[in-house]
Amino acid sequence: MTRPLVVAITGGSGAVYAVRLLQVLLASGREVFLMLSRSGADVIRQELKLELNLSVAGFDAEPLVTYRSPWSESVPELPDDWRERLTYAAIDDYFSPIASGSFLTDGMVVCPCSGSTLSSIARAASSNLVHRAAEVHLKERRSLVLVTRETPLSVIALENMTLAAKAGATLLPAMPGWYHGVRGLDDLVDFIVARILDQLGIENHLMQRWGEA
C-alpha cells in the first residue's frame, strides 16, 4: 500500500527536473499532489515556454506532464489514467489535505527549490501551502527532499541549508554526476531524478549506478 507523494515546483531554475520527476512518478503508478508557486510558473514560462493557469478551475496539467524538451531523445510514457492520480493544490489553499499532518503521505519533494522557499522552510516562516506542507513533513518526520539549484552559494544560503538539514530535510542540489556513461542531456536530468527517487525509496533504473556493469 503506497501513500501519495507531494511535489512542489518553485522559482529556482531547472524546471525540466520537475517535469521529468512528475513523468516518472505517474508512470510508476504513484498518486501525486502537485503545487506550483507563481515564481515557479514564471520559470516554466521562461525555460519551457509553457503558459500555466494556476487557478484550480483553469489548471491543466497535460502540457506540463507531457512536455518534451527539444533536445530530448526520451519520449514520456504515461499510462492512460495519469490524470486520475494527479491532484493539483493551489498555493494559497490551506484547506488542501496536504496542509495537515493527519493526511498521510510517503514524502515531499520541492523541485526546484528556490532560495526564498529554502529560507521559509528552514526558518518555519510559512506564507503559502508549499511552506506549510514542508513544515508538516518535517514535524511528522517524513521525507522532505529539497532540490536546490544556485551557484555560487552565499553564507546565508548555506546557513539555511544547514538549518533545514538539522530539521530533517534532505538537501539534494541539482548537481548531476558524470560517471554513468553520459551521452546527452537526458542522462544528466535522469541522474538527479534517480537520486530524488532513491531518497523516496522508489525503485528506478534511470541511471547506471556506480559499480554496476
Side-chain angles (χ1 to χ4, degrees):
M1 179 69 70
T2 59
R3 296 166 178 167
L5 294 162
V6 181
V7 175
I9 303 174
T10 63
S13 181
V16 66
Y17 292 115
V19 170
R20 182 60 172 149
L21 176 62
L22 283 174
Q23 291 171 347
V24 174
L25 289 176
L26 293 172
S28 69
R30 299 306 297 262
E31 182 181 352
V32 177
F33 275 77
L34 174 65
M35 290 176 286
L36 292 95
S37 71
R38 292 174 180 84
S39 295
D42 290 341
V43 171
I44 287 171
R45 183 187 307 113
Q46 171 68 27
E47 296 183 350
L48 309 184
K49 311 306 179 189
L50 297 178
E51 191 77 35
L52 299 176
N53 185 339
L54 297 189
S55 71
V56 175
F59 182 75
D60 179 9
E62 185 167 359
L64 187 66
V65 173
T66 61
Y67 177 81
R68 180 183 177 187
S69 297
W71 42 259
S72 177
E73 297 180 359
S74 176
V75 179
E77 297 181 1
L78 296 167
D80 293 336
D81 67 343
W82 69 264
R83 294 174 185 81
E84 299 171 14
R85 290 183 282 103
L86 181 64
T87 301
Y88 171 68
I91 199 169
D92 55 355
D93 181 14
Y94 284 92
F95 287 97
S96 172
I98 57 178
S100 172
S102 65
F103 182 77
L104 300 179
T105 72
D106 277 342
M108 175 176 175
V109 183
V110 184
C111 175
C113 180
S114 67
S116 59
T117 300
L118 169 64
S119 177
S120 295
I121 293 172
R123 300 174 186 278
S126 298
S127 60
N128 61 44
L129 184 59
V130 173
H131 306 155
R132 171 57 187 169
E135 183 177 353
V136 164
H137 282 75
L138 289 177
K139 78 182 184 68
E140 299 292 335
R141 300 293 192 267
R142 299 177 196 158
S143 181
L144 173 64
V145 181
L146 306 179
V147 185
T148 57
R149 204 237 51 87
E150 186 74 86
T151 189
L153 293 168
S154 68
V155 172
I156 295 173
L158 291 169
E159 289 176 346
N160 286 335
M161 289 181 176
T162 300
L163 285 173
K166 286 182 176 179
T170 297
L171 276 297
L172 200 157
M175 299 187 295
W178 289 79
Y179 58 79
H180 55 294
V182 176
R183 292 179 296 180
L185 294 177
D186 285 321
D187 297 316
L188 298 178
V189 172
D190 278 355
F191 180 94
I192 295 299
V193 174
R195 301 301 284 132
I196 295 170
L197 297 175
D198 289 347
Q199 293 300 315
L200 297 172
I202 298 175
E203 183 178 355
N204 68 90
H205 303 282
L206 295 180
M207 57 171 282
Q208 180 176 326
R209 299 180 184 278
W210 185 257
E212 289 183 344

